[in-house]
Amino acid sequence: MVPTSSRIPVLPLAVGLGLMLVVSLVCGVGLGAAGIGWPGVFRFLWAGLSGGTVHAGDAAAYTIVWEIRLPRVVLAAIVGAGLAAVGVAVQAMVRNALADPFVLGISSGAAVGANAVILLGAFAGLGVWALSVSAFASALAAMALVYAVARSPHGLTPLRLILTGTALAYGFEAVTTVMVFGAARGEAARSAMMWLLGSLGGATWAQVPLAAVTVAVGWAWLRWRAETLNALAMGDETSAALGVQPARLRRELFLVTAAMTGTVVAVSGAIGFVGLMVPHVVRMLVGADHRRVLAVAPLAGAVLLVWADVLSRLLLAPAELPVGVITAVVGVPAFLLLMRRGGYAFGGR
């Protein structure tokens, strides 16, 4: 834990990250393989926001900016914010510094549904919604299965949650692997691997509202329950002595975090390290109080994922790298530096 005197005030940090996010969103729209100059980017953004018109000769460039890049960077910010917020909550819920949004096995369950669409053509009648709907439905099914198996007469204990989520995740991953290796088309298998490693290449405006509402409502609930998260992080006995019901709170947290995870994974695939790394970096800066952490972590996660997506588009342009590869390349050394840094206890305790 960082000494109190060295903590950064939350408000200036949040404002600074908010400004960074705005700049990141603009840069994310302006940067890409297609050479659209900045004057054109700003003109097309203004036309889209104000309902203005563009010349027929600029229609293709306008489509790239407004229909492809902008929803992609907006969705990247939403997904990054959601993963960071869920990472904070899950680490408190299971009292494990290595926990992340995918420790409950929800993302692995979502992968089964997504690959059923990509590799087997399931739910083809849903058109462009097929992938998101199938991934979200299988995420909910995985959530129900994890809950049913992990639940005991004593409620959802941290150890049972971690063991159940990990075990079922291996099972879901085995099913996904069989589907990938059995794919008749190589391009379909490549698309499946891109999704498994995280990709925002299929982002559309239609995906933004549900993801934004789910993440916003989930974050608001977590922020409201921040005091009880502080108690839960100190252990069940301590939290019970403070008037918190650990089993009930953990059940509520499970439902909220699973819904948020299922939603963001359905639109972006399994993007790792954001939900694991960002909470630790933020605790190092502002302390372990969840009221402070949850005020900053979503903004940090949003900025990180927007730039990770930009790099995934640019490094091998015109080809793309999975976003999860970029977050892992950034996350591994950052995590090792955290472990080497003196004065910080993982988990903030």
Side-chain angles (χ1 to χ4, degrees):
M1 183 184 301
V2 176
T4 304
S5 59
S6 64
R7 291 176 185 167
I8 299 175
V10 170
L11 183 58
L13 181 59
V15 171
L17 284 170
L19 293 175
M20 285 181 61
L21 179 57
V22 173
V23 173
S24 300
L25 290 172
V26 174
C27 290
V29 175
L31 297 173
I36 302 174
W38 285 103
V41 169
F42 287 117
R43 188 171 71 253
F44 298 144
L45 286 176
W46 177 248
L49 292 171
S50 64
T53 59
V54 296
H55 297 296
D58 292 331
Y62 173 80
T63 299
I64 291 173
V65 169
W66 187 259
E67 298 293 341
I68 298 177
R69 290 185 187 173
L70 185 57
R72 179 168 181 158
V73 297
V74 170
L75 199 62
I78 293 169
V79 170
L83 291 175
V86 173
V88 173
V90 170
Q91 288 170 10
M93 178 172 63
V94 300
R95 299 203 308 274
N96 190 313
L98 290 176
D100 70 356
F102 305 135
V103 73
L104 301 178
I106 309 300
S107 65
S108 300
V112 175
N115 281 280
V117 173
I118 296 171
L119 301 173
L120 306 178
F123 301 103
L126 296 176
V128 295
W129 289 93
L131 182 61
S132 296
V133 170
S134 181
F136 185 67
S138 58
L140 291 181
M143 178 189 76
L145 183 58
V146 171
Y147 180 84
V149 176
R151 191 167 181 269
S152 71
H154 305 290
L156 294 174
T157 62
L159 182 59
R160 287 181 69 91
L161 268 175
I162 292 177
L163 292 178
T164 303
T166 301
L168 290 178
Y170 278 115
F172 295 140
E173 288 169 6
V175 174
T176 300
T177 301
V178 170
M179 294 169 67
V180 171
F181 274 90
R185 295 178 292 120
E187 185 59 31
R190 182 180 181 278
S191 298
M193 291 305 298
M194 281 287 290
W195 193 91
L196 288 172
L197 292 172
S199 174
L200 292 158
T204 64
W205 281 119
Q207 296 173 326
V208 170
L210 178 60
V213 170
T214 303
V215 170
V217 171
W219 171 82
W221 187 89
L222 293 172
R223 190 78 169 80
W224 174 59
R225 300 288 273 167
E227 282 284 4
T228 56
L229 288 177
N230 288 338
L232 188 65
M234 292 187 288
D236 286 11
E237 291 184 3
T238 302
S239 58
L242 294 173
V244 176
Q245 300 179 36
R248 179 179 177 179
L249 176 58
R250 198 168 279 118
R251 183 167 59 249
E252 294 173 357
L253 282 169
F254 176 80
L255 295 174
V256 171
T257 56
M260 292 175 69
T261 301
T263 301
V264 299
V265 168
V267 298
S268 68
I271 300 173
F273 265 101
V274 177
L276 175 63
M277 178 181 63
V278 171
H280 289 301
V281 172
V282 172
R283 288 193 194 97
M284 184 179 68
L285 296 175
V286 303
D289 187 338
H290 285 85
R291 293 171 299 181
R292 300 165 62 88
V293 175
L294 283 167
V296 175
L299 291 169
V303 171
L304 171 63
L305 198 56
V306 168
W307 281 106
D309 182 57
V310 170
L311 289 175
S312 76
R313 289 186 274 133
L314 294 180
L315 289 179
L316 295 180
E320 285 190 19
L321 284 171
V323 183
V325 171
I326 305 299
T327 56
V329 168
V330 174
V332 169
F335 216 64
L336 293 177
L337 286 174
L338 277 179
M339 288 194 296
R340 297 289 298 176
R341 183 182 176 89
Y344 175 75
F346 267 71
R349 296 183 290 279

